[in-house]
Amino acid sequence: MTDTTIPSIERLIVALDVPTPARAEDLVARLGDSVAFYKIGYQLAYAGGLSLARQLADAGKKVFLDLKLHDIGNTVARGVESVAGLGATFLTVHAYPQTMAAAVEAREGSTLKILAVTVLTSYDDADLQEAGYRLSVSGLVAQRAVQARSIGVDGLVCSAEEADNLRPIIGDRLSLVTPGIRPAGSAAGDQKRIMTPGRAIAAGADYLVVGRPVVEAADPRAAADAIVAEIEQASQT
Ligand code: C5P
């Protein structure tokens, strides 16, 4: 069951998948008050976008830093402390027990929430086997979801299709954040498992990450408004 206490506008997280902070700032200005939550990933972060995180937070926006940390516990903990200082709301780490535990401990006392990436969606069973794992994708996702819950992680990144299966494992305390969202009629691009905003909310997603359907729209503001309206309707049913 999706968390109905989150305002609809905050459930839409627009992925700032653009090459430069200047392009990101232009997009944020065009979107104005139609978007309240932004995701900064590798592309923008490594092109000077981390200072934009602080700028957005100071302007009252929420920021999701999709940095997918994974290192020895001490290094993860120090990194998490620095990210908390940027004013971000969400940070991703890979769902290894040591990494999750270090991140959760280091975010104590801040408003930062830790999201765990269970298994990357580009991996299938053969990829896992090649990387030395014995479990299937669904087995490893389930095992890591149980570990994330017991370690006290704040949420998971998963496909909307997985949301239905994960909710009983993780309970209601953890947020489910789902990419692969496509409003009806928009191009799938390279996403293989897509869902409309309304169906994703109905499947139990709390936050929807949307990139190209907003970023590449002729009218990004209208695209964002339409998604928030669909989220609003789905969260009331
Ligand atoms: O353009 P699109 O809506 O497909 O963008 C989705 C965003 O979510 C991208 O920033 C992508 O990196 C991210 N993401 C994803 N699948 C995951 C995790 C993150 O598509 N499993």
Side-chain angles (χ1 to χ4, degrees):
M1 169 74 183
T2 185
D3 179 352
T4 50
T5 63
I6 308 166
S8 295
I9 188 167
E10 285 187 11
R11 291 167 176 274
L12 168 64
I13 303 178
V14 171
L16 289 172
D17 293 334
V18 292
T20 63
R23 290 268 299 275
E25 281 174 45
D26 280 353
L27 184 61
V28 169
R30 281 187 82 182
L31 289 166
D33 57 11
S34 63
V35 172
F37 213 145
Y38 287 101
K39 180 170 92 74
I40 294 175
Y42 284 4
Q43 183 187 21
L44 191 55
Y46 294 136
L50 285 178
S51 53
L52 183 65
R54 160 56 61 206
Q55 215 174 298
L56 286 169
D58 287 347
K61 303 293 184 190
K62 294 196 163 185
V63 179
F64 170 4
L65 282 175
D66 191 9
L67 300 180
K68 297 189 178 73
L69 302 189
H70 182 213
D71 207 313
I72 60 169
N74 181 61
T75 302
V76 169
R78 300 292 85 80
V80 168
E81 284 166 10
S82 294
V83 168
L86 293 171
T89 297
F90 285 158
L91 169 70
T92 42
V93 302
H94 284 285
Y96 288 78
Q98 267 190 23
T99 298
M100 293 191 286
V104 164
E105 199 183 326
R107 67 95 166 93
E108 285 301 333
S110 75
T111 52
L112 181 67
K113 293 188 184 315
I114 303 298
L115 304 179
V117 178
T118 52
V119 176
L120 293 168
T121 48
S122 58
Y123 276 51
D124 61 18
D125 291 349
D127 292 312
L128 282 186
Q129 204 176 23
E130 197 185 356
Y133 291 87
R134 279 176 297 104
L135 293 172
S136 64
V137 170
S138 60
L140 189 56
V141 167
Q143 176 177 308
R144 289 180 166 176
V146 169
Q147 291 168 335
R149 179 184 182 167
S150 73
I151 287 169
V153 159
D154 303 296
L156 298 179
V157 179
C158 66
S159 73
E161 283 171 4
E162 284 167 352
D164 242 356
N165 294 334
L166 285 175
R167 190 54 86 188
I169 300 178
I170 60 168
D172 283 336
R173 191 189 60 76
L174 274 75
S175 297
L176 288 177
V177 180
T178 61
I181 302 299
R182 291 292 177 269
S186 61
D190 57 356
Q191 294 283 12
K192 297 201 175 80
R193 289 172 290 157
I194 57 171
M195 242 189 226
T196 62
R199 284 195 48 221
I201 294 289
D206 297 303
Y207 296 89
L208 312 183
V209 177
V210 184
R212 287 161 289 184
V214 170
V215 174
E216 294 178 1
D219 184 345
R221 196 181 168 108
D225 285 343
I227 293 171
V228 172
E230 189 174 332
I231 291 173
E232 172 77 18
Q233 199 177 20
S235 8
Q236 285 168 353
T237 52

